[in-house]
Amino acid sequence: MQINLTPAAVDELKKISFKEDEGIRIEAVFVGSCTIADEHSLKIDKKYSLDDLFEIEGIPVIVSKESQKNLHEKVTLDFNPNMGYKLSSAEEVYRYNLTLEKSSY
């Protein structure tokens, strides 16, 4: 998996002080209903054994192996102060207006 952080996202994420084994979790969870859909979220979380850790410009990014199945090989995380984070790939926009939440691990 390849993760790209835009300069705006890097600037915003560098404001965060991470603890050891902590990073930004990109999550893509399959939601079963009458349509096939994934729910996407961003949160500050700790790394678990089934996660991959990507270090991008000094920013730790965590993506579980399960979430990777629901994302394209290359994803981009962007930030706009008026609209929050945007998670996308060349094939689709996964979600606009993502907010970064703190996990309660």
Side-chain angles (χ1 to χ4, degrees), residues 7-102:
V10 169
D11 289 345
E12 190 66 17
L13 294 172
K14 285 203 173 196
K15 297 175 183 177
I16 301 167
S17 296
F18 297 101
K19 298 176 186 171
E20 189 174 331
D21 290 329
E22 193 177 62
I24 302 298
R25 177 177 297 281
I26 297 175
E27 199 162 47
V29 178
F30 176 75
V31 179
S33 66
C34 57
T35 62
I36 298 174
D38 292 322
E39 175 114 356
H40 300 89
S41 63
L42 288 178
K43 57 183 151 185
I44 299 170
D45 200 2
K46 69 185 275 188
K47 182 187 177 301
Y48 296 99
S49 61
L50 295 177
D51 295 332
D52 286 330
L53 176 66
F54 303 87
E55 191 78 27
I56 305 159
E57 296 197 41
I59 299 166
V61 178
I62 301 165
V63 185
S64 71
K65 295 191 186 315
E66 191 62 33
S67 287
Q68 289 180 50
K69 293 176 187 177
N70 299 317
L71 296 166
H72 291 282
E73 179 60 29
K74 296 179 183 179
V75 297
T76 298
L77 185 63
D78 191 11
F79 179 76
N80 178 312
N82 297 318
M83 298 183 64
Y85 292 94
K86 176 177 86 171
L87 182 63
S88 63
S89 69
E91 293 82 7
E92 66 181 295
V93 173
Y94 296 110
R95 186 161 167 207
Y96 287 101
N97 298 321
L98 282 167
T99 57
L100 184 60
E101 299 173 9
K102 176 80 171 157

